[in-house]
Amino acid sequence: MMASFGQGSRRHPRSRGRTWSRTGPDRATLAIVGVVCAVAGFFALGIVLGPVATVCGWLAMGRSWAGSRSVPAVVAVVLGAIDTLLALIGLIGATTPGHGMF
């Protein structure tokens, strides 16, 4: 018996096992990634990791404030926003006269 490459899904293109849902572990994983990025952003690359944490947390919450929210998703959004704000304040403070190299 020969294997059919790509022919098996023609009968049922949207079968249950082949669809990807955004519930359960996917949202939890995004929330954990957001929290890790937010915490790491406090130590290095806050201007990059802060917005990444905010976006991951926002996607983990389902892109809305309504409904039930997981705690790690909210923590990722809040810490990511704080991280971004502190990084911007640090960049602004570094560019003022008197704090440069000369």
Side-chain angles (χ1 to χ4, degrees):
M1 178 142 190
M2 294 182 61
S4 60
F5 297 105
Q7 302 297 325
S9 64
R10 283 194 178 183
R11 283 185 234 141
H12 306 288
R14 294 190 183 242
S15 62
R16 273 184 205 252
R18 298 182 63 95
T19 59
W20 185 54
S21 64
R22 286 232 179 233
T23 59
D26 296 331
R27 287 187 178 182
T29 302
L30 273 175
I32 297 298
V33 167
V35 170
V36 168
C37 286
V39 171
F42 282 114
F43 300 106
L45 295 173
I47 196 69
V48 175
L49 293 176
V52 168
T54 305
V55 168
C56 285
W58 181 254
L59 291 175
M61 288 192 325
R63 294 179 281 183
S64 70
W65 287 105
S68 63
R69 294 176 229 116
S70 67
V71 173
V74 175
V75 169
V77 170
V78 170
L79 287 181
I82 291 171
D83 193 16
T84 304
L85 184 66
L86 289 177
L88 287 174
I89 289 172
L91 285 174
I92 291 170
T95 60
T96 58
H99 293 287
M101 292 180 67
F102 302 108

